Amino acid sequence: MKQITDTILMIRPVAFRMNEQTAVNNYYQKVVDKLLPATVNAKAQQEFDAFADKLRAIGVNVIVVNDTVTPDTPDSVFPNNWVSFHENGDVALYPMFAENRRGERREDILDLLEEHGFVIDNIMDYTSAEEDGFFLEGTGSIVLDRVNRKAYCALSPRADEELFIEFCEDFEYSPVIFEAYQTVEGERKHIYHTNVMMCVGTTFAVICADCIDDKKERKAVLASLREDGKELVLLTEKQLNHFAGNMLQVQGEEKSYLVMSEAARSVLTDSQVQILEKHTEILAVNLDTIEACGGGSARCMMAEVFLLKKV
């Protein structure tokens, strides 16, 4: 069992913009004034292409699929919310909070992976929960420690507890459940995705423990990470606002890299960087437009492919 992979699925946007349906509980999204929609999309495409090129340059196998103009899917650049791929040949499809994100789920993408030689044995489809108003947005809502078989989930309107427990039973993970908050105009509000406030690497974990207001829950989450030998990098909420929690460790040709945005890298302290660089190399990419309009960052743009290939 591996914690990180060298194969990443990415979706190149065609009509990227701020998604009004997700803005209701994604407090990281901002309206970018004075930019035409076509300009916003063109900037997002430039950032996307440069990101994919940087990953390829370090030896990551990047499978890029172009988004389609219809249906209207302004957030398609964040595929990790609708699908996850597992070493046992399972693919999970997830129920999405925003109606206009549900069109991101595409069977042809699974067909394409099979054409690339990847083995898909079973599809675990949780999407019918949408009809009852329950959601669980993939590895946005769930941060997986694949080696230690633990799944971390900050409950929110996009992460239902019962659905999460069902996922853990199906995939044989131990659930670590908590609530995480951020301050929005003086009020504590649920963080919309777990992967905004924590990242689990091979031998380290990055987490904003300050977001977990309940002291018992905070203690339990930190203890769980420590007992698995993870060296912790603790973030501040201010760092979180620059997407410092939204990172993903990937396997390059010769070594591993912790991928994040330049905005995230710019707010890390020297001592935090030192700890991280003991474990892995840092790769930072410019995602200013995607972060501002999409309210997501580097980790959200990468759906990790752990499927095995045909021999």
Side-chain angles (χ1 to χ4, degrees):
M1 195 61 66
K2 299 180 302 183
Q3 177 61 13
I4 62 174
T5 179
D6 63 357
T7 304
I8 299 293
L9 169 73
M10 296 177 73
I11 309 296
R12 190 175 191 267
V14 294
F16 177 80
R17 64 168 196 278
M18 176 167 165
N19 185 353
E20 59 291 339
Q21 291 188 18
T22 55
V24 294
N25 56 22
N26 177 346
Y27 307 111
Y28 294 92
Q29 286 174 250
K30 299 176 184 72
V31 177
V32 179
D33 290 329
K34 303 188 183 77
L35 281 187
L36 291 168
T39 310
V40 169
N41 185 59
K43 280 176 173 287
Q45 287 178 331
Q46 283 169 356
E47 290 173 2
F48 177 95
D49 292 340
F51 185 4
D53 287 347
K54 274 194 167 184
L55 287 173
R56 286 181 174 131
I58 58 168
V60 175
N61 174 25
V62 185
I63 300 165
V64 171
V65 178
N66 286 306
D67 188 19
T68 51
V69 177
T70 52
D72 174 36
T73 50
D75 277 332
S76 61
V77 76
F78 304 132
N80 81 309
N81 299 141
W82 68 264
V83 68
S84 64
F85 305 100
H86 303 265
E87 271 185 69
N88 64 353
D90 282 355
V91 173
L93 301 178
Y94 296 95
M96 312 275 276
F97 171 82
E99 281 182 34
N100 67 4
R101 293 208 62 188
R102 297 169 193 174
E104 294 173 31
R105 296 188 295 253
R106 285 167 51 187
E107 267 185 49
D108 64 308
I109 290 175
L110 305 185
D111 297 340
L112 179 79
L113 287 170
E114 290 188 307
E115 282 167 31
H116 275 269
F118 292 101
V119 179
I120 296 174
D121 288 326
N122 187 31
I123 294 176
M124 306 290 286
D125 190 341
Y126 299 98
T127 59
S128 63
E130 286 168 353
E131 295 160 29
D132 301 314
F134 298 114
F135 312 106
L136 186 69
E137 295 195 335
T139 53
S141 297
I142 307 166
V143 172
L144 296 175
D145 182 338
R146 291 172 186 259
V147 174
N148 296 296
R149 308 307 292 172
K150 286 182 184 175
Y152 294 84
C153 182
L155 302 178
S156 78
R158 304 199 198 182
D160 177 73
E161 185 167 10
E162 281 183 29
L163 257 184
F164 172 60
I165 289 168
E166 187 184 332
F167 165 87
C168 289
E169 286 171 355
D170 291 341
F171 283 87
E172 297 179 351
Y173 280 89
S174 298
V176 182
I177 299 169
F178 55 97
E179 289 184 78
Y181 299 86
Q182 65 191 125
T183 301
V184 182
E185 292 170 359
E187 275 184 72
R188 293 299 270 169
K189 303 218 170 163
H190 280 109
I191 283 178
Y192 79 108
H193 276 159
T194 315
N195 77 2
V196 174
M197 53 78 65
M198 74 179 289
C199 152
V200 176
T202 45
T203 49
F204 65 93
V206 180
I207 184 167
C208 181
D210 292 349
C211 293
I212 307 172
D213 290 357
D214 184 292
K215 283 184 184 150
K216 266 193 192 157
E217 285 184 355
R218 186 188 317 150
K219 205 172 166 186
V221 172
L222 294 176
S224 174
L225 292 165
R226 286 192 179 110
E227 76 184 20
D228 296 325
K230 306 293 183 194
E231 184 168 13
L232 300 187
V233 174
L234 297 176
L235 300 174
T236 65
E237 206 175 308
K238 192 176 175 188
Q239 288 176 317
L240 223 59
N241 293 332
H242 296 271
F243 293 99
N246 198 244
M247 311 165 164
L248 182 70
Q249 191 183 14
V250 301
Q251 184 61 50
E253 195 166 5
E254 292 170 0
K255 54 190 165 184
S256 74
Y257 293 81
L258 184 61
V259 184
M260 65 187 75
S261 69
E262 286 176 359
R265 173 66 182 82
S266 71
V267 294
L268 295 180
T269 65
D270 291 345
S271 60
Q272 287 171 328
V273 169
Q274 271 178 333
I275 295 171
L276 291 171
E277 287 182 338
K278 279 195 308 189
H279 299 273
T280 188
E281 195 161 315
I282 291 173
L283 178 73
V285 293
N286 175 3
L287 299 173
D288 289 354
T289 307
I290 289 170
E291 285 179 332
C293 295
S297 188
R299 194 278 166 265
C300 304
M301 293 170 68
M302 296 180 282
E304 304 149 278
V305 181
F306 284 90
L307 299 169
L308 300 177
K309 278 198 151 179
K310 288 192 189 98
V311 179

